[in-house]
Every structure is written in structure tokens, then in C-alpha cells.
């Protein structure tokens, strides 16, 4: 809907019901010729008495009725003596109460606010106001005016109002001046403004098309943007070419700007992996640090405990198992090497090895920490090993730097982990920055065991860390290749290995735990998926809907997660009188919905259900269930962690009755249903299918076109990631 289609309301703020000082989200009453309406949105710092022009859309709250959701707001300071008194007496200006407000208005009339901002010492004419208090009142008011002008500036340039609070948190009272001086800072991670918007703003403020500021910003944007494509660097030639297209300027001019960035240390350039590689400094530091630390650890030879053979034999007895040669090799290697990699496909005994290594470390008296990249993966790891496991973020005590708005880790080289050994599962999901942070927090002699399957999809973040470590040949590695008899009885395991070898399973053999239900059109796929979740699997196999995860390679199209979530919510959690609801965008959140946290939020508070434990941080991919929707809060249970979401935070949640295969990495489900009908070639790949199949513990069902499944097996397309880690490890 264009701005012309938004409805316009104009009136005076009569009351502020709720205001979040962190992000400016506000619920207020607007008096329009004696009739009050509710307005919600990021109108930070607003106070009773202000005159607002609000453009927005009408929504209906299930409890509070019609509300105007503000998308653009123009604010006018109170002008009449009555409005000014209402404004000052509301407490909007710290240090001014009702009595003082009355005296100020009586003394200065309609000029009261001008006096407070421009000549506050005149306030000393009022009995009881000292020079110090007058200056304090003036300073507070000037700060508020700065916030107001910043919001007016954002509205004028069609930028989100939510930016005002973020910018003031980062730059304080000079936020507006900082943005005008360099609009391109809005592209930074904490602000998330599209480069095209920041560029349009810069050009409108007089920045020339070939201004060095613009060209440097374009180069840095291309480097940052490509982190999302998994690259830790870009080849210099590709960086210049891509930026030239983005900005429509010549490559020669960009070379000069790139040299300026390199001289100032805002980018790094080094010959690596046969490329003239250009890095953002943080990625360069992370990659080179990982290479240096892993090489040191790989060369370290540790003295194994006396009687290692007998020790391993006792562990076998305790665990009632006899290790295969590869498994025994893995356990014994952990006794003598500071770092090792353990890899293998499904059914090859990684879990058995992992338990054995953990038992060995315990026998050696080593304090061992278990970790995984996601909450679900950590929970599964803890269950498999019958001990506590945590996310890597929680292990490192991730936090939120309120000054920079960025992630920080409490545990680092200055305050390292107390663990003497760390075991990380699902390492294929770990990106370069997170591994660098983990290594930085390890004591010099701490052991590290990295476990994973390199044939699964790579990390969402930059780098191909686990695959690079394996392919370097430098790090001690055990590859498990033998499929054990019990696992080989599973069609899931057999077919996963066939898929990984590029062989199409016989999809006509619907038996055991692997099925393919042929459906040729999107509606048939949706109907079948709903029937499986609502009726067939719960009734015939005793698998309840909350233990079934529907996956799709894609978000869009007829069988993408958007369409699947709509039909699954309607079938599994329909509206019911008394069941709380809240609309956000095109989705209606409802009590009982399965939802996913879709971005890292290091500043969100959670509490343990039924316990005293609490902490900060929810992470991209965490799945929970909406417990209740009461008043303005949505309460979500993430496997025992209770989180309250206010309306302004709902952009961090998405429905999760169906999720993309990428989002399912690191998780395991009792049953998996894959909608396999259509998708972009870059998504309909062998790696996506292999990852989907290996998420299923008891049952896997593909619903769609068998030909599409076959095409996924044959499409071994792997998007190249520019990474220098492997080359750095092999340089020795």
C-alpha cells in the first residue's frame, strides 16, 4: 500500500498508555475533535499535549478493538497555553511537575517552550527555580527536541521510525548530525537499512555520485552483504566489478577508494587461495586467528593416560558395546591429541564415539563442556550423552553491548572457560566468527573435539569451516564410514547414503521408515501434508502433530513454508473463542502456534519454567510454542525457556508448523515431512535433500513429484564460498 493509500489521522495526544524507552514503541490515545482513538507504533518520546499527524492502517486487537498502526508520524509541539500546560504537566520534561508547569505557562505564555529550549536561565524568574535546575530543565528539553527532529527527519525521507531509538542509543544527542554527515552508516548491521535507501538519502543530501564517501560505502556494503552468501572475502576484481554495477561508476575510481580503505585499515587485502582477497577486518582477523590456533593445537602431542587400552575396554563394558576399529581409533586419538575432527554420515556411530570420548575425558579427570550451535542441537546432544550441554553462545556467555548494539562474549582470552576439554556437535553449522570466539575462550592446553557431517548444508554465516578443516588434511581426523547392521535396517539411513553418493533411491518402495507420496500439483501436496499431520500419522502410527516437522526447500511458491504454515495452522490450531490472537503483518499469531525466533537477539530476557534460572539471548532457529497472548504480550515457551514478546518484537517471530530445510539444520525430529514439488534450482539440491532426510529419527515422508526428488539428487550444485581457511592451514 502506497503512502497515498494510508489513512490520515490528526489530533492531540490525550494519554500515553505504554512506551518502550529502548525502541520507542508506544501505545497512545489521540483526541480527534473530542473522540479518542488508539494509535500504536514507534513514536518515541511523545507526551500528552502534542499534536500528531499519523498515517497508518487500521487493525483490530482481539481485546482492545480498533487501533491505528502508525507508519509515518509528523509531530507539532503544543502551541496554545492549554496545550503547553497539558504537555509540561504530563511529566514529559523531567523536573517539571504540574505546579511548576502552571507557573511557567503563567509567566511565559505561548513562548514557554521557546524559553525552555533557547534561554532556560529565564526560568529563574519563577520562584523556586535555581540556575542549576533551570539549566537541567533546558538540557532535558533540548535532548527531547533532538529526538523529535531525528524522527521528523526519518519520516521526511521515508525511513522507518524505529530507527530513531536505535540511532540515539548508538550516537546520543548528535545522532541526527551523524546521519547527515554519513547516511551510509544506516546500512550497518544494527540499523538494517537497505543500501538503496541509504544511497538515495545520501544523494538527496548532496553527496555526489562519484564522491569518495559513496564509493567507499559501496565497497564496504558489497563485502558485508556477501557475508550473507557465506563468503569470508571477495576477490578484488569481483569486488570492484560488483560495486561498479551497484553504484554505476567506473572501476578505476573504485580502485582509488579501495586503496583508501586499505590504508585506513577499514579493509584488508592479502594473496590467499590463489586470489587477491579483500576482507572486512573482523573476518580477516577471525580467519587468520583460527588458522594459527588450529595449527598450534594440531601439532600438540599429549601424553595419553597409562593403560589406555584397559581404560577403553572398561568404557566398552560400562556402555555395553564393542567398538569397531574406526570407533576405537577415534576414542584413542582423543587421548593423545589436543584437537581432533570426528565425521561420518548417519548410522556410522558418531554418537557412540562421542559418548566414548566423553567417558574417556571423565576417566582422565578432565572437566568437559558439551556444546552445539543451536538450542535444539544442544538439547539433543545432552540427551544422547545423559549430561548437560549448552549452545556455544551460552557457553561463551553471549551478551548485548548496549553501546554498539552488537554481540559480545564474556568468555574470552581475558576470562577463559574453566573447561579442560570441549566437545562441539553439529560443527558444520558453525561459522568463522563463532569458531574464532570459541577458540579465543579456550585455555592454552584445553582439548577440542569437533563432530559433524560435512555433507550437510554449510553454516548460514560466513565460511566453510568444518569442510575446510577436514579438506586441509592438517587436523587429526577420524572418518566413520561403516554403517552398522542395526542402522542399515533403516531406509532413512540407507537412502541418505545413496543420496549422498548421487544415487536416486527407489521411491516406489514405500516401506519401513522412508516413504514418497506422489502428488503432482501444489494443492494436492498441501492437502496430503495436512492429512498426514492431523490424522494419518497421529492415528495410525501414534506420532502426534507436535512431534512432526514439515519442511520445504523454499519459503515461497505453492508448497513453500508460507503456504504450508497457513493451511497447517488452520488445521492444527484453528481460532477458538477465548484463544488469544494478535495480527502481525500477514500472519495471525494464536495461542498454541508453533513459532521460530528468526534473528539473533542478545538482549532478550528468558526465565526457566518452574525454576529460578534466567538469562539473556534467543537465537535464530530456536523453536517454541505460544503459551498465551494476554494484553500486549505474547508468551512463548522455548523448551522450558519462557520469553515475553511485546508487539514491537513480533518481527522476530515466524510460524514454524513448516520451516525451510536450512532452518532445520542441527535439529532432529521424530517424523519429517518434506514438501518436494518445486523451488529454485539453487534450493532443489542434493545437499538440501540429504539434510532434510537426516533430520528424521523414525519416519521420513516426501510428498510431491518423484521426478523433483530425483532432480534434487542429481543437482549437486554447491554455491562456491570464498574462504581462505583451508589455504592458510596448508601453508605450513
Amino acid at each position: 500500500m502506497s503512502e497515498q493509500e494510508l489513512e490520515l489521522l490528526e489530533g492531540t495526544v490525550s494519554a500515553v498508555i505504554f512506551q518502550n524507552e529502548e525502541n520507542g514503541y508506544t501505545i497512545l490515545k489521540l483526541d480527534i475533535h473530542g473522540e479518542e482513538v488508539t494509535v500504536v507504533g514507534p513514536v518515541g518520546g511523545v507526551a500528552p499535549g502534542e499534536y500528531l499527524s499519523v498515517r497508518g492502517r487500521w487493525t483490530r486487537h482481539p481485546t482492545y478493538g480498533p487501533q491505528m498502526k502508525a507508519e509515518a508520524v509528523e509531530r507539532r509541539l503544543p502551541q496554545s497555553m492549554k496545550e503547553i500546560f497539558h504537555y509540561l504537566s504530563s511529566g514529559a520534561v523531567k523536573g517539571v511537575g504540574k505546579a511548576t508547569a502552571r507557573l511557567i505557562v503563567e509567566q511565559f505564555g505561548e513562548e514557554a517552550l521557546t524559553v525552555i529550549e533557547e534561554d532556560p536561565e529565564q526560568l529563574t524568574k519563577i520562584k523556586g527555580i535555581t540556575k542549576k535546575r533551570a539549566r537541567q530543565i533546558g538540557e532535558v528539553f533540548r535532548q527531547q527536541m533532538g529526538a523529535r527532529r531525528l524522527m521528523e527527519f526519518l519520516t521526511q525521507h521515508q525511513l522507518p521510525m524505529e530507527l530513531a531509538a536505535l540511532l540515539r542509543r548508538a550516537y546520543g544527542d548528535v545522532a541526527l548530525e551523524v546521519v547527515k554527515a554519513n547516511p551510509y552508516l544506516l546500512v550497518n548491521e544494527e540499523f538494517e537499512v537497505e543500501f538503496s535507501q541509504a544511497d538515495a538519502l545520501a544523494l538527496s543530501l548532496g553527496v555526489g555520485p562519484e564522491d569518495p564517501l559513496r564509493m567507499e560505502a559501496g565497497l564496504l556494503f558489497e563485502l558485508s552483504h556477501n557475508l550473507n552468501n557465506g563468503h569470508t572475502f571477495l576477490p578484488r576484481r569481483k569486488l570492484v566489478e560488483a560495486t561498479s554495477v551497484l553504484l554505476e561508476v567506473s572501476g578505476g575510481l573504485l580502485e582509488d577508494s579501495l586503496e583508501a580503505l586499505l590504508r585506513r585499515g577499514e579493509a584488508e587485502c592479502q594473496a590467499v587461495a590463489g586470489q587477491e582477497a579483500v576482507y572486512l577486518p573482523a573476518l580477516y582477523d577471525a580467519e587468520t586467528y583460527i588458522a594459527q590456533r588450529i595449527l598450534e593445537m594440531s601439532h600438540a602431542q599429549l601424553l595419553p593416560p597409562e593403560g589406555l587400552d584397559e581404560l577403553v575396554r572398561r568404557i566398552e563394558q560400562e556402555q555395553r558395546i564393542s567398538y569397531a576399529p574406526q570407533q576405537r581409533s577415534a576414542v584413542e586419538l582423543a587421548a593423545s591429541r589436543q584437537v581432533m575432527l570426528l565425521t561420518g554420515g548417519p548410522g556410522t556411530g558418531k554418537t557412540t564415539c562421542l559418548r566414548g570420548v566423553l567417558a574417556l575425558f571423565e576417566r582422565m579427570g578432565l572437566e568437559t563442556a558439551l556444546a552445539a550451535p543451536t538450542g535444539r542441537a544442544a538439547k539433543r546432544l545432552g540427551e544422547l550423552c545423559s549430561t548437560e550441554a549448552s549452545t556455544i553462545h551460552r557457553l561463551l556467555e553471549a551478551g548485548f553491548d548496549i553501546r554498539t548494539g552488537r554481540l559480545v562474549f564474556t568468555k574470552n582470552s581475558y576470562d577463559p572457560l574453566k573447561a579442560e576439554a570441549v566437545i562441539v556437535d553439529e560443527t558444520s553449522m558453525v561459522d568463522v566468527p563463532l569458531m574464532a570466539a570459541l577458540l579465543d575462550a579456550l585455555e592454552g592446553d584445553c582439548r577440542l573435539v569437533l563432530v559433524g557431517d560435512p555433507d550437510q548444508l554449510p553454516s548460514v554465516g560466513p565460511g566453510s569451516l568444518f569442510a575446510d578443516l577436514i579438506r586441509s588434511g592438517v587436523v587429526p581426523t577420524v572418518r566413520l564410514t561403516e554403517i552398522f547392521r542395526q542402522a542399515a535396517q533403516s531406509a532413512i539411513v540407507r537412502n541418505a547414503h545413496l543420496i549422498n553418493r548421487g544415487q536416486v533411491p527407489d521411491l516406489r518402495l514405500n516401506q519401513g521408515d522412508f516413504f514418497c507420496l506422489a502428488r503432482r500439483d501444489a494443492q494436492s501436496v498441501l492437502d496430503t501434508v495436512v492429512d498426514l499431520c492431523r490424522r494419518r500419522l497421529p492415528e495410525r502410527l501414534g506420532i502426534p502433530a507436535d512431534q512432526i516437522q514439515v519442511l520445504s526447500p523454499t519459503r515461497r511458491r505453492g508448497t513453500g513454508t508460507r503456504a504450508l504454515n497457513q493451511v497447517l495452522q488452520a488445521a492444527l490450531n484453528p481460532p477458538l473463542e477465548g484463544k488469544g490472537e494478535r495480527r502481525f503483518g500477514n500472519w495471525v499469531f494464536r495461542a498454541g502456534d508453533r513459532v521460530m525466533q528468526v534473528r539473533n537477539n542478545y538482549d532478550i530476557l528468558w526465565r526457566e519454567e518452574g525454576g529460578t534460572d534466567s538469562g539473556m539471548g534467543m537465537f535464530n532457529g530456536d523453536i517454541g510454542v505460544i503459551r498465551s497472548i494476554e494484553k500486549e504480550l505474547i508468551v512463548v515457551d522455548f523448551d522450558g525457556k519462557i520469553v515475553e514478546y511485546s508487539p514491537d518484537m513480533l518481527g522476530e517471530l515466524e510460524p514454524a508448523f513448516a520451516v525451510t530445510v536450512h532452518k532445520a539444520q542441527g535439529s532432529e525430529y521424530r517424523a519429517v515431512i518434506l514438501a518436494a514439488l518445486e523451488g529454485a534450482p539453487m534450493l532443489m539440491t542434493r545437499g538440501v535433500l540429504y539434510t532434510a532426510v537426516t533430520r528424521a529419527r523414525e519416519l521420513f515422508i516426501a510428498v510431491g513429484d518423484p521426478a523433483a526428488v530425483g532432480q534434487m539428487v542429481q543437482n549437486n550444485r554447491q554455491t562456491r564460498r570464498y574462504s581462505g581457511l583451508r589455504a592458510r592451514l596448508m601453508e605450513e
Side-chain angles (χ1 to χ4, degrees), residues 595-661:
V595 292
M596 175 182 284
Q597 174 81 18
V598 294
R599 68 183 64 165
N600 291 339
N601 184 335
Y602 314 108
D603 197 31
I604 194 169
L605 179 68
W606 57 263
R607 56 181 171 80
E608 183 184 28
E609 182 182 25
T612 58
D613 196 12
S614 64
M616 303 287 286
M618 297 302 298
F619 302 101
N620 187 358
D622 288 344
I623 290 181
V625 176
I626 296 178
R627 280 285 190 84
S628 63
I629 300 178
E630 301 173 1
K631 296 183 178 179
E632 296 301 322
L633 295 177
I634 291 184
V635 181
V636 184
D637 180 353
F638 291 95
D639 289 326
K641 291 181 180 178
I642 307 301
V643 180
E644 295 180 345
Y645 289 81
S646 54
D648 53 296
M649 299 166 62
L650 295 186
E652 299 186 10
L653 290 178
E654 283 186 1
F657 295 101
V659 301
T660 62
V661 177

Side-chain angles (χ1 to χ4, degrees), residues 364-395:
M364 294 170 64
L366 300 177
E367 185 174 340
T368 305
L370 272 65
T374 68
R376 287 201 161 231
K379 183 179 180 183
R380 175 171 165 264
L381 176 62
E383 291 170 349
L384 291 172
C385 294
S386 302
T387 189
E388 183 181 356
S390 71
T391 63
I392 300 173
H393 285 85
R394 192 174 184 197
L395 180 69

Side-chain angles (χ1 to χ4, degrees), residues 27 29 38 60-67 582 630-632:
I27 302 170
K29 293 289 186 181
T38 302
R60 175 170 288 277
H61 189 282
T63 303
Y64 301 105
Q67 297 180 338
R582 171 169 279 279
E630 301 173 1
K631 296 183 178 179
E632 296 301 322

Side-chain angles (χ1 to χ4, degrees), residues 302-309 311 332 334-336 360 363-364 447:
L302 305 179
L303 191 65
E306 291 186 15
L308 178 59
D309 288 343
L311 193 55
E332 291 176 348
S336 60
L360 174 68
R363 288 273 187 164
M364 294 170 64
R447 299 167 188 254

Side-chain angles (χ1 to χ4, degrees), residues 290-302 336-340 439 442-449 475-476:
I290 291 171
Q292 171 226 322
R293 189 73 194 274
I294 289 291
L295 282 172
E296 291 173 355
M297 296 173 76
S298 297
H299 292 151
Q301 293 277 358
L302 305 179
S336 60
R337 303 307 294 257
Q338 189 177 2
V339 62
M340 67 167 285
L439 291 171
L442 301 184
E443 292 274 19
D445 57 353
C446 183
R447 299 167 188 254
L448 179 64
V449 178
V475 188

